[in-house]
Amino acid sequence: MTHRSRTPFDPGHHDHHRYEEDLAQLLELDAEMSGASWEEVTTWATQYVGDGPHTIVDLGAGTGAGGGVLARRFPAAQVVAVDRSAVMLERVQATAREQGLDGRVHVVHADLDVTWPAVGEVDLVWASSFLHEVADPGAVLGAIRAALRPGGLLVVVEMDALPRFLPEDLGIGRPGLESRCHQALASAGWNAHPDWRPLLEQTGFEVLGPRTVSTEAHPAPLSTARCAQAWLSHMRPCLRGRLAAEDLDVLDRLLAEDRPEALLTRRDLSIRGSRTAWAARRP
């Protein structure tokens, strides 16, 4: 899940490299916390693959969570991670080495808004939190269809909404802070995407699904707090000017590390969210 610069996810950071490093850390934490839902999505989607795929392309690979799951599920496949961020692709390579997959996971630096990379014929394309970020989704879907072999599969995955971590009443400030944060970000265009089925069908795909997978988990408190800290820190710059001053003050108190109400000290956090996947076959 890598985002183009100047999207709502990157409100004009001067140090874009630092921003991408922080985003990479967030993606790794999110993948760690959402592992069960990733496995459920891939199990559902890959039932449509048929014989084991030879070439898998992970578009907008981010830190490679989806590609890693697919590489382990299909041990004979080669996985090509495509991203426009060199920072993300470095993380993909490092993770592949750690997991003993570096001989099978390859990286390609490419901007899909500009051109389709030379990856040859493909059996499976995985596009998680990616399609809504490109300038012309229809053109990208056309390029994907052309690259897939007949019978090949595309899997598009999107978050239905930003993940939730906080209780309704934090004990400080007005109840409902997280809902107000999400409403403000939705008005700024965060995570905005349609039901992809009509455009997939218009592009010539046979759509299978969709499938929605929910996550509601209470992992170790510190792990949950670290993920909440990463997500809310990521949101904070875009909330300036969109959230009431009293809410921003409470959010800053949660993000501080030296206050008794700080996220990293709380034990009342959980993870709630859902993702929807569309599996689409090239006839």
Side-chain angles (χ1 to χ4, degrees):
M1 181 178 66
T2 298
H3 311 284
R4 295 170 295 157
S5 62
R6 302 297 296 177
T7 70
F9 282 83
D10 181 8
H13 283 68
H14 295 296
D15 186 350
H16 192 73
H17 186 274
R18 173 60 184 273
Y19 167 79
E20 290 196 335
E21 290 282 1
D22 290 345
L23 179 58
Q25 181 181 33
L26 182 154
L27 295 179
E28 288 171 347
L29 286 167
D30 183 75
E32 178 185 340
M33 295 295 97
S34 305
S37 62
W38 280 119
E39 291 289 347
E40 187 174 346
V41 167
T42 53
T43 297
W44 168 77
T46 56
Q47 69 180 302
Y48 300 114
V49 173
D51 293 336
H54 299 292
T55 303
I56 299 170
V57 172
D58 183 6
L59 293 181
T63 54
V69 171
L70 292 167
R72 292 188 293 274
R73 185 173 295 275
F74 298 109
Q78 297 292 309
V79 177
V80 181
V82 180
D83 206 291
R84 61 172 293 154
S85 166
V87 169
M88 298 298 174
L89 294 177
E90 287 170 5
R91 294 292 186 100
V92 171
Q93 290 176 310
T95 300
R97 285 193 296 271
E98 291 168 4
Q99 297 179 353
L101 299 171
D102 49 320
R104 295 176 43 228
V105 176
H106 316 280
V107 300
V108 173
H109 187 257
D111 184 346
L112 274 296
D113 279 332
V114 177
T115 186
W116 179 261
V119 293
E121 190 174 62
V122 181
D123 301 292
L124 172 60
V125 173
W126 180 267
S128 177
S129 293
F130 163 76
L131 193 57
H132 74 269
E133 289 291 336
V134 300
D136 187 345
V140 172
L141 286 175
I144 293 170
R145 188 182 186 283
L148 281 168
R149 65 167 176 78
L153 191 73
L154 163 65
V155 182
V156 176
V157 186
E158 298 279 11
M159 289 191 301
D160 296 317
L162 299 176
R164 290 181 175 268
F165 301 93
L166 307 181
E168 181 71 10
D169 189 347
L170 290 159
I172 55 172
R174 289 190 299 136
L177 172 65
E178 195 166 42
S179 293
R180 292 191 294 279
C181 290
H182 286 201
Q183 289 165 6
L185 294 172
S187 69
W190 275 50
N191 197 52
H193 61 81
D195 175 356
W196 289 115
R197 184 181 194 115
L199 186 56
L200 287 164
E201 291 177 338
Q202 181 181 327
T203 312
F205 285 97
E206 174 193 359
V207 180
L208 313 162
R211 173 68 175 266
T212 297
V213 175
S214 297
T215 299
E216 183 159 354
H218 301 266
L222 183 57
S223 297
T224 306
R226 288 173 60 232
C227 194
Q229 180 91 4
W231 265 108
L232 290 169
S233 295
H234 187 58
M235 298 173 185
R236 176 60 176 86
C238 196
L239 290 168
R240 187 180 300 113
R242 293 187 170 95
L243 207 61
E246 61 180 308
D247 282 339
L248 290 173
D249 177 66
V250 172
L251 183 57
D252 288 339
R253 289 161 66 183
L254 293 173
L255 293 172
E257 298 184 9
D258 58 351
R259 299 188 66 103
E261 65 269 34
L263 288 172
L264 295 179
T265 68
R266 301 187 73 101
R267 297 295 181 268
D268 57 354
L269 306 179
S270 61
I271 297 175
R272 290 102 62 202
S274 64
R275 286 178 166 87
T276 294
W278 295 260
R281 180 184 289 127
R282 175 182 173 178

